[in-house]
């Protein structure tokens, strides 16, 4: 498999190391991010005339689906390239570049929606404070994010292989926050949101790209762990991660990531 793969760094931009996302690659290779969220949209059940805020909208597919339901939706993302691609994809939909840790909306939205994004936004408290303030009384939060145990084997392997190559344990560089149910619902409660439903469940997620799927995923999302690794050393480390995870996560030409989702519905009291 090593020979078949494209080693990371040879073709793709190392997005996070450069502090930005490769929106074009995300748009074409990571469609599973929004394709898996169809049922989350039915939990949101956006209504005609409702105002909805979509946090971490990426390239805009779910924001556009919410708009199609007749809601007035704003999609926000902190990455300019993502928002620019979202605007290109869906010219009639409202998108803005915004840091969800510094929301300034007050009592404006019937619903706040977020898919596969909140785990990137650290620290989580200002995000929750902003969501709570942005909702109208009686409004709802419908969100799904990586939860406790998410990509446990991938993170462990990255840490092991980077350390084994002599660059130290990059664990403290993790850009992610994968909470358990009690910590997140307590945080919500502390900031005025009552949890109506919280569930943590495994969602093994097939990655696009065949034998290259894991390397593509690492290149798109895991750049922070490689900050101390010189570019020439990265392909060998990625190969080691791929070799190490192959017996557990690669089956019949398909990588399947060990995703765990935390799904939340919470409401702001009327
Ligand atoms: C996730 O959706 O769980 C995820 C995606 C990219 C990096 C880390 C986690």
């Amino acid at each position: 498999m090593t020979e078949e793969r494209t080693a990371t760094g040879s073709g793709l931009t190392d997005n996070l190391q450069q502090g930005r996302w490769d929106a074009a690659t995300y748009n074409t290779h990571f469609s599973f991010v929004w394709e898996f969220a169809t049922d989350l949209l039915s939990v949101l059940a956006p209504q005609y005339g409702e105002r909805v805020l979509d946090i971490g909208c990426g390239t805009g597919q779910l924001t556009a689906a919410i708009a199609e339901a007749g809601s007035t939706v704003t999609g926000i993302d902190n990455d300019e390239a993502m928002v620019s691609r979202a605007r290109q994809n869906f010219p009639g939909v409202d998108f803005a570049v915004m840091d969800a840790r510094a929301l300034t909306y007050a009592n404006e939205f019937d619903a706040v929606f977020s898919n596969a994004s909140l785990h990137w936004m650290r620290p989580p408290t200002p995000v929750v404070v902003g969501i709570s303030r942005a909702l109208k009384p009686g409004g709802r939060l419908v969100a799904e994010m990586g939860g406790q145990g998410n990509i446990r084997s991938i993170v462990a392997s990255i840490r092991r292989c980077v350390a084994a190559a002599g660059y130290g344990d990059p664990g403290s560089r993790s850009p992610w926050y994968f909470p358990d149910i009690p910590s997140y619902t307590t945080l919500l409660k502390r900031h005025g949101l009552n949890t109506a439903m919280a569930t943590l469940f495994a969602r093994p997620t097939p990655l696009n790209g065949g034998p290259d799927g894991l390397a593509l995923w690492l290149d798109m999302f895991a750049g922070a762990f490689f900050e101390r690794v010189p570019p020439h050393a990265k392909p060998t480390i990625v190969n080691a991660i791929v070799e190490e995870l192959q017996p557990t996560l690669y089956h019949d030409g398909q990588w399947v990531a060990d995703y765990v989702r935390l799904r939340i519905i919470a409401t702001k009291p009327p």
Side-chain angles (χ1 to χ4, degrees), residues 21 116 119-120 145-146 150-151 176 178 217 221 259-261:
W21 292 77
H119 54 257
W120 287 99
M145 63 195 288
N150 193 38
I151 53 169
W176 306 313
F178 299 138
W217 189 97
F221 295 123
Y259 277 23
V260 175
R261 303 289 86 182

Side-chain angles (χ1 to χ4, degrees), residues 191-207:
H191 298 288
L193 295 174
N194 298 325
T195 300
M197 196 276 297
T199 175
L200 188 72
F201 57 98
R203 182 191 283 145
T205 299
L207 304 179

Side-chain angles (χ1 to χ4, degrees), residues 36-58:
F36 264 111
T38 318
D39 69 318
L40 190 64
L41 277 181
S42 37
V43 175
L44 174 68
Q47 302 297 306
Y48 183 85
E50 279 192 325
R51 242 192 117 203
V52 180
L53 179 66
D54 177 10
I55 295 184
C57 65

